[in-house]
Amino acid sequence: MVPAESDEPKLILTYPHKSGFNTIGWPSMVSSSLIVLSILKHLISNGSDFSDTMIIVAVLIYGPILIFFMGSYLFLNGVKLEIDENNTVKYYTYGSRGQSVLHFKFRFEDIEQVTVRKYPFDCSKVTVTIRNPICCVWHEKKLNKQVSVNIIADRKASESFRRHMEQFQRNKISA
């Protein structure tokens, strides 16, 4: 009897939702926004030339910083890489409504290079260079070029991916 193939992927690379950044990111953004808003309210009620200058400085400095942190908090979770039991790899991105969209699928043999760089908050940036992936956005079409994708993932999962890739390369060479 042949065992049924499961739909569960054996490895998923995605941003860790319970990381240190997510734990402190949202509360610190909210609290710092409230502090800056209360300072701006106090400066507006003061009504002097110095307070007008300080309002402009606070908005010009704090606004871009807040937008950067909100953007990184909301869009860090935007990609996912799944490896199936039959060594098929699928690369997903998330849409604006949280639904994942399959962009590329490829075989493990199509991976040319994997680079892992350590990031803070127990994360790693995994860059995968793929040779001739199948683009699945509107309809399946094989791209005849090299594509590079980036995934920010948990350090343990990225090391597991690197070890899995090394084991696959060793098995490919020995075969």
Side-chain angles (χ1 to χ4, degrees):
M1 182 171 223
V2 178
E5 196 173 302
S6 67
D7 291 337
E8 279 290 314
K10 65 180 174 182
L11 181 65
I12 297 175
L13 288 180
T14 187
Y15 186 74
H17 299 286
K18 299 199 186 264
S19 71
F21 181 72
N22 280 345
T23 305
I24 64 170
W26 181 251
S28 63
M29 278 191 296
V30 170
S31 63
S32 63
S33 296
L34 292 175
I35 291 169
V36 168
L37 285 175
S38 66
I39 291 171
L40 288 175
K41 186 177 178 182
H42 176 71
L43 288 173
I44 288 172
S45 66
N46 197 0
S48 67
D49 289 339
F50 176 74
S51 64
D52 292 343
T53 306
M54 291 309 295
I55 290 171
I56 293 171
V57 168
V59 168
L60 288 177
I61 291 174
Y62 185 71
I65 291 172
L66 180 65
I67 290 170
F68 170 77
F69 280 117
M70 285 176 61
S72 63
Y73 181 81
L74 294 173
F75 295 110
L76 268 177
N77 303 345
V79 296
K80 177 173 67 169
L81 193 76
E82 289 183 355
I83 302 170
D84 294 335
E85 291 294 328
N86 57 359
N87 287 333
T88 301
V89 184
K90 296 176 182 173
Y91 177 77
Y92 293 93
T93 60
Y94 294 105
S96 61
R97 296 186 179 168
Q99 301 164 341
S100 58
V101 177
L102 176 63
H103 276 272
F104 301 114
K105 69 179 179 181
F106 48 93
R107 304 280 304 159
F108 227 60
E109 299 90 33
D110 295 336
I111 296 176
E112 288 193 354
Q113 182 180 6
V114 176
T115 307
V116 179
R117 290 182 29 200
K118 291 183 180 178
Y119 267 34
F121 300 111
D122 200 32
C123 296
S124 293
K125 179 180 179 183
V126 180
T127 304
V128 180
T129 305
I130 312 154
R131 175 181 11 105
N132 303 329
I134 297 172
C135 182
C136 302
V137 177
W138 290 286
H139 63 280
E140 289 190 7
K141 178 184 178 186
K142 186 163 185 142
L143 301 177
N144 293 322
K145 63 179 181 176
Q146 210 174 31
V147 176
S148 183
V149 295
N150 297 315
I151 302 104
I152 297 177
D154 183 47
R155 239 180 236 157
K156 292 176 186 174
S158 59
E159 287 300 316
S160 175
F161 176 72
R162 188 183 54 77
R163 283 192 305 273
H164 186 72
M165 185 68 190
E166 288 173 357
Q167 180 184 9
F168 180 78
Q169 292 292 338
R170 275 187 259 126
N171 291 343
K172 186 178 168 185
I173 291 172
S174 66

